[in-house]
Amino acid sequence: MKETARPVDRPAAAEYATWFKALADATRIQIVSLLSRQGLPMNVGEIVAAVDVGQSTVSAHLKVLADVRFVLAEPRGAATYYRVNEACVECFPTAADVVMGRPSPAQPLPASPSQGVHQ
């Protein structure tokens, strides 16, 4: 091990762990993929139809994804529409690079527990 090699600092590691954990489910991967490829906000019913999973399950997964700000919720009347948070699309590969010790353009700052890094 190189003498100067050090792990990611603890606050950043904790933040990255929440991101990786949020994506550690096949349905959540499908939802993020769908929203990213769709390019337009979608409501829960549209997401349910596309991923063939029950409404309550999709809603629970959307909550997990929204908690780490991978998806953003936009209330529109009685419905809520979800879209991918583009900041996450740009930031997530950087997090993987940082964890793996590869060069990255910039290391995101850890956020407060209630907000998440992405905005």
Side-chain angles (χ1 to χ4, degrees):
M1 184 171 182
K2 295 179 186 175
E3 192 173 316
T4 59
R6 295 182 183 248
V8 172
D9 66 64
R10 190 65 179 187
E15 182 71 18
Y16 297 154
T18 64
W19 300 354
F20 292 121
K21 184 179 179 182
L23 293 178
D25 180 272
T27 302
R28 289 194 291 266
I29 294 286
Q30 285 184 298
I31 292 169
V32 169
S33 174
L34 172 66
L35 292 173
S36 182
R37 292 167 193 236
Q38 177 72 16
L40 297 170
M42 298 176 73
N43 65 38
V44 173
E46 294 167 329
I47 296 168
V48 166
V51 298
D52 198 29
V53 176
Q55 185 272 331
S56 62
T57 301
V58 167
S59 292
H61 286 304
L62 285 167
K63 181 182 179 339
V64 170
L65 293 168
D67 284 349
V68 295
R69 309 231 350 120
F70 279 151
V71 299
L72 301 174
E74 301 171 0
R76 293 186 191 170
T80 300
Y81 283 76
Y82 296 87
R83 64 181 173 87
V84 166
N85 183 349
E86 293 300 326
C88 288
V89 173
E90 295 172 14
C91 197
F92 189 76
T94 300
D97 285 337
V98 169
V99 169
M100 299 306 290
R102 297 182 180 138
S104 64
Q107 184 172 341
L109 299 174
S112 66
S114 63
Q115 186 176 2
V117 168
H118 322 297
Q119 298 198 19

